[in-house]
Amino acid sequence: MELSDTIYTTERHKNFKNIFLLIVGSILFAIYAGLLLPANNIGAGGALGLSLVMNKLTGVKIGTAQFLLNVPLFYIGYRYVSRRFIILTGIVISASSFLINNLPKLITPVHLGDSLVAAIFCGIISGLAMCCLLVGGASTGGTDITGKFFSCKLKINLPTVFLIQDILIYVIVWIFFDIKYVMYALVMSFVRNQTMKGVQKFFSAYIQCTIICNCPEKMVEIINNTLHRGSTILDVEGGYTHKKKRMIILVIQQNEMYLLKKLVSKNCPEAFITVTAVNTIVGNFKEHSYRL
């Protein structure tokens, strides 16, 4: 079994992959919140941003403040999102809060010396952390919970919901911190937003594939049984040879392209394949990818 098969196939070893993603996401979030943000004087959105305000005003540790702020939001997640989501989120919040409080004792917080570079780097790290956690079935809590709620209810792209919520929190951060904290935090949120969209697009972007081969019926059957995707067969004629052939058209997601190429290479090595990006799909199309 190849490593690529495990990575690109969402249902293979799903529980193991989810646990791995939750561990990686929690560590990345703790590095971002405990080592990078405070040392580089950058604000943040969500519960973490409010935790930074509480830390400044009362001296409460950032991890502890984050945990306390999330307790009232557990009901929203439990009631309106899913029980599994909120249980995993509770575990992640507990672990990340502990790491945020204790990582600075083990590792010296990193002062990058340039606030803009720090904001960009924090945006990338936090975006990767949130992608790992959301794909694994949890979140960092706070506005991640409300974001998941509004995304499901209003059918809005999740990164966009996070960005709107962050802007509201930045108004509060502005009151207690200098305006430069907010400006760099906005840069960080934009980078995080683009990072999350990039990760989502890498796995779940819609693509249309056309396959011209000598055994279309066999190929369609393999696609149906392996990828579980529908397809269309058209009669075509070669413009140079004028030979009659048949062309398969199907729409898949980016993470399925690896398996499709593998199937075509094995069963119809002489096939001609083209791939085109698809922006929007309306109708009966099932998600076979990792979802934020």
Side-chain angles (χ1 to χ4, degrees):
M1 183 185 299
E2 296 183 17
L3 179 61
S4 298
D5 292 337
T6 300
I7 294 173
Y8 287 110
T9 307
T10 57
E11 296 302 320
R12 183 168 292 174
H13 305 302
K14 185 175 182 179
N15 290 332
F16 172 78
K17 284 189 286 189
N18 287 344
I19 293 171
F20 176 76
L21 288 171
L22 292 177
I23 293 172
V24 172
S26 298
I27 294 173
L28 287 175
F29 184 75
I31 292 172
Y32 150 72
L35 299 180
L36 296 175
L37 280 186
N40 292 280
N41 296 322
I42 299 175
L48 182 58
L50 296 177
S51 299
L52 292 171
V53 172
M54 288 180 64
N55 176 257
K56 180 179 177 65
L57 296 177
T58 65
V60 176
K61 290 183 178 181
I62 297 173
T64 304
Q66 181 191 244
F67 181 83
L68 294 174
L69 287 171
N70 275 289
V71 172
L73 295 175
F74 285 162
Y75 174 75
I76 296 176
Y78 186 83
R79 177 71 174 80
Y80 296 104
V81 182
S82 78
R83 296 179 181 180
R84 182 179 182 275
F85 172 77
I86 206 61
I87 290 172
L88 290 176
T89 296
I91 295 172
V92 167
I93 291 171
S94 300
S96 61
S97 295
F98 175 81
L99 289 173
I100 290 170
N101 285 343
N102 293 281
L103 267 184
K105 300 176 183 177
L106 302 175
I107 304 173
T108 303
V110 182
H111 179 62
L112 298 177
D114 186 318
S115 296
L116 183 58
V117 172
I120 294 172
F121 191 64
C122 285
I124 295 172
I125 295 296
S126 63
L128 292 175
M130 292 184 69
C131 284
C132 287
L133 293 173
L134 290 168
V135 171
S139 75
T140 57
T143 51
D144 291 4
I145 297 175
T146 56
K148 195 84 170 176
F149 169 74
F150 286 123
S151 178
C152 293
K153 290 293 182 181
L154 303 178
K155 307 300 181 183
I156 302 176
N157 184 278
L158 190 58
T160 301
V161 176
F162 286 157
L163 185 61
I164 294 171
Q165 291 184 142
D166 280 352
I167 291 173
L168 296 176
I169 298 297
Y170 292 153
V171 175
I172 299 175
V173 176
W174 186 357
I175 296 173
F176 296 98
F177 289 84
D178 189 88
I179 184 62
K180 69 177 183 180
Y181 284 74
V182 178
M183 300 306 293
Y184 287 123
L186 284 171
V187 173
M188 182 187 70
S189 279
F190 177 78
V191 173
R192 184 186 70 179
N193 179 270
Q194 295 304 308
T195 300
M196 293 179 68
K197 285 184 176 180
V199 171
Q200 188 172 29
K201 184 178 180 180
F202 178 78
F203 283 107
S204 62
Y206 305 125
I207 52 177
Q208 177 178 286
C209 302
T210 61
I211 306 170
I212 299 176
C213 61
N214 295 325
C215 50
E217 288 78 10
K218 175 186 176 183
M219 201 65 242
V220 165
E221 184 179 357
I222 293 171
I223 290 171
N224 290 342
N225 295 332
T226 307
L227 290 177
H228 306 291
R229 292 294 192 192
S231 58
T232 301
I233 300 179
L234 299 177
D235 292 320
V236 294
E237 179 181 332
Y240 181 76
T241 63
H242 296 289
K243 290 183 178 180
K244 303 292 184 180
K245 289 195 174 184
R246 308 193 77 188
M247 179 173 69
I248 305 168
I249 301 176
L250 73 155
V251 176
I252 60 176
Q253 289 179 277
Q254 186 66 47
N255 65 302
E256 297 173 300
M257 189 63 208
Y258 168 79
L259 181 55
L260 178 64
K261 288 193 294 185
K262 189 175 179 180
L263 292 172
V264 173
S265 176
K266 179 180 179 180
N267 295 280
C268 292
E270 80 290 348
F272 177 77
I273 307 174
T274 61
V275 180
T276 307
V278 177
N279 292 325
T280 306
I281 291 180
V282 178
N284 184 23
F285 185 86
K286 293 183 179 180
E287 290 281 341
H288 289 177
S289 182
Y290 300 98
R291 299 185 65 183
L292 298 186

